[in-house]
């Protein structure tokens, strides 16, 4: 059975983008693969964060994943900082990866902004830690949204260079799994930007915990154009915001955009947005209810994560020890 690894940062409430682009694909993979899913708190401290809320956000993210169907008894679900193998392998990868490779990472450029000299060093080496997350388990399949593709290419470069430098086919190559029409859900306010947990405007995203009124308001205010919906996909060209809403509708109702257009062709956005709100509210309602139920007993969530950390360590520890041996470290006696 192939091994899957994926992760999500506890840097806020998961968005509809996280859900449609990644989390939703994680659940069915648990039937066909050995799945390892991680709340990546080490990654979350690479950008400004509040130490007073990080632990709460980490537990909330775990509960959100569980509420979406990532059942801790059917996969390995854990918190990154609980398994030390990640940081150990990441350090080795910091020494394997080349600065020139990291300089090409578009996400670093976006996140560091103009004041690059002042960005944290952790943000710069972030992709090395991501490579360690996956390779510490010898995982080969990584379900992610489109925005992570470049990081996974870098992870493959790191694996190859490690194998070359230390003389063994030790790390496998990784295959990104980027699925469906919602692999890149865009901001509700600007169809050229991706929907993000950390967007300063809450109006730009749907959070998985938004109630019915908030969803209705955000969808009503979502940027669109004055044209009605076309009957063919070609009619969405150059209409990024319209295309995004059709893509969201298609993804959440498990259809192709063309089928959505067939049903809604000729409608104005007022009508279409009403239909989209109804679908979103009825889809997210049960997830929110389950999340509230789980968070009413935080100790039970933490117990699930403890079990996950034990299972994760049992897989990663021997792999990372072997990597350390290949590098030439003196084993602890
Ligand atoms: P993060 O926390 O930004 O996002 C988690 C997952 O959601 C996907 N995603 C989206 N998909 C579609 N449309 C969007 N607007 C959208 N926004 C986010 C992301 O592609 C991701 O799959 N670096 C990663 C976390 C990570 C990881 C890993 C992933 C750390 N180690 C190892 C895979 C394997 C990140 O910041 O994801």
């Amino acid at each position: 059975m192939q091994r899957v690894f994926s992760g999500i940062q506890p840097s806020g409430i998961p968005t509809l983008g996280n859900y449609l682009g990644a989390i939703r694909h994680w659940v069915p993979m648990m039937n066909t693969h050995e799945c390892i899913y991680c709340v990546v708190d080490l990654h979350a401290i690479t950008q400004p964060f509040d130490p007073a809320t990080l632990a709460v956000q980490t537990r909330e993210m775990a509960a959100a994943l569980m509420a979406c169907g990532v059942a801790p008894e059917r996969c390995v679900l854990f918190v990154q900082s609980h398994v030390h193998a990640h940081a150990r392998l990441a350090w080795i990868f910091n020494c394997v990866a080349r600065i020139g490779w990291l300089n090409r990472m578009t996400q670093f450029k976006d996140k560091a902004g103009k004041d690059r000299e002042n960005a944290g060093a952790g943000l710069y080496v972030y992709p090395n830690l991501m490579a360690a997350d996956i390779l510490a388990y010898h995982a080969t399949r990584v379900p992610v949204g489109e925005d992570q593709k470049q990081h996974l290419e870098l992870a493959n470069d790191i694996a190859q260079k490690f194998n070359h430098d230390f003389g063994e086919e030790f790390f496998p190559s990784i295959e990104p799994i980027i699925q469906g029409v919602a692999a890149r859900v865009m901001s509700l306010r600007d169809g050229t930007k991706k929907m993000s947990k950390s967007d300063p405007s809450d109006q730009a995203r749907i959070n998985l915990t938004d109630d019915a009124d908030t969803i209705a308001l955000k969808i009503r205010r979502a940027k669109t154009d004055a044209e009605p919906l076309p009957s063919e996909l070609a009619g969405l060209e150059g209409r990024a915001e319209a295309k995004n809403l059709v893509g969201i509708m298609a993804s959440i109702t498990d259809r192709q955009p063309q089928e959505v257009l067939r049903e809604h062709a000729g409608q104005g956005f007022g009508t279409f947005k009403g239909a989209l709100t109804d679908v979103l509210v009825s889809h997210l309602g049960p997830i929110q209810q389950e999340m509230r139920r789980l968070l009413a007993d935080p100790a039970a969530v933490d117990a699930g994560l403890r079990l996950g950390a034990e299972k994760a360590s049992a897989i990663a520890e021997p792999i990372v020890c072997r990597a350390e041996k290949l590098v030439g470290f003196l084993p602890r006696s």
Side-chain angles (χ1 to χ4, degrees):
M1 206 187 268
Q2 268 167 327
R3 192 172 281 161
V4 163
F5 184 97
S6 200
I8 186 163
Q9 293 192 63
S11 48
I13 300 289
T15 68
L16 189 64
N18 297 132
Y19 178 66
L20 297 179
I23 304 169
R24 204 159 176 237
H25 304 297
W26 293 6
V27 179
M29 291 191 99
M30 298 186 334
N31 298 325
T32 47
H33 296 73
E34 180 189 3
C35 292
I36 304 173
Y37 297 130
C38 183
V39 181
V40 293
D41 53 352
L42 300 180
H43 281 97
I45 66 168
T46 59
Q47 289 218 278
F49 70 102
D50 178 6
T53 53
L54 182 61
V56 171
Q57 285 186 325
T58 301
R59 186 186 292 116
E60 278 175 2
M61 181 56 81
L65 295 177
M66 291 175 191
C68 291
V70 181
E73 57 286 352
R74 294 188 49 230
C75 66
V76 179
L77 174 64
F78 70 105
V79 174
Q80 191 181 28
S81 64
H82 294 177
V83 177
H84 300 158
H86 294 247
R88 279 158 50 202
L89 188 59
W91 180 255
I92 295 176
F93 287 173
N94 285 343
C95 302
V96 171
R98 305 291 88 186
I99 285 183
W101 301 354
L102 294 171
N103 284 343
R104 286 199 289 274
M105 295 296 111
T106 56
Q107 212 163 83
F108 173 74
K109 291 179 198 163
D110 290 348
K111 288 190 174 171
K114 289 201 175 68
D115 192 11
R116 209 176 289 176
E117 291 291 303
N118 220 6
L123 186 64
Y124 190 61
V125 294
Y126 177 116
N128 299 343
L129 176 58
M130 208 171 136
D133 295 340
I134 303 161
L135 292 167
Y137 299 88
H138 276 180
T140 53
R141 300 289 174 103
V142 185
V144 283
E146 180 74 43
D147 61 335
Q148 299 301 318
K149 195 167 167 223
Q150 195 187 32
H151 288 157
L152 298 184
E153 285 163 5
L154 182 89
N156 273 327
D157 291 341
I158 292 174
Q160 259 182 31
K161 183 159 163 40
F162 181 99
N163 290 346
H164 175 268
D165 291 355
F166 301 104
E168 211 176 297
E169 281 304 301
F170 184 61
F171 287 118
S173 60
I174 297 167
E175 193 189 318
I177 301 187
I178 299 171
Q179 282 175 347
V181 284
R184 191 170 175 82
V185 177
M186 308 311 280
S187 152
L188 299 178
R189 310 298 296 171
D190 175 353
T192 63
K193 269 172 54 185
K194 79 167 182 178
M195 183 181 282
S196 161
K197 302 181 210 88
S198 48
D199 194 308
S201 165
D202 191 55
Q203 297 297 313
R205 60 176 166 263
I206 304 282
N207 304 306
L208 284 201
T209 50
D210 284 344
D211 62 22
D213 289 346
T214 310
I215 294 175
L217 190 70
K218 286 180 177 177
I219 294 291
R220 201 158 57 237
R221 286 194 182 151
K223 190 174 163 197
T224 41
D225 53 45
E227 298 294 311
L229 281 162
S231 55
E232 297 297 329
L233 282 178
L236 289 174
E237 279 318 306
R239 299 171 69 186
E241 287 84 9
K243 194 172 174 185
N244 189 38
L245 294 188
V246 170
I248 292 174
M249 178 65 123
S251 174
I252 201 131
T253 56
D254 273 325
R255 288 179 295 172
Q256 288 302 313
Q258 183 60 64
E259 291 173 70
V260 172
L261 291 182
R262 210 169 293 138
E263 186 187 341
H264 296 276
Q267 281 178 1
F269 275 96
T271 313
F272 181 70
K273 283 176 167 181
L276 181 57
T277 300
D278 290 346
V279 169
L280 285 170
V281 168
S282 62
H283 192 98
L284 298 184
I287 295 176
Q288 295 170 353
Q289 216 178 342
E290 178 62 4
M291 202 176 150
R292 275 194 297 273
R293 190 190 69 77
L294 288 163
L295 286 172
D297 186 1
V301 175
D302 293 359
L305 293 173
R306 188 164 54 240
L307 173 74
E310 280 162 17
K311 292 195 281 187
S313 294
I315 303 171
E317 196 57 31
I319 294 175
V320 173
C321 283
R322 177 96 186 110
E324 288 172 336
K325 191 153 181 257
L326 285 171
V327 169
F329 293 158
L330 175 69
R332 202 167 67 179
S333 59

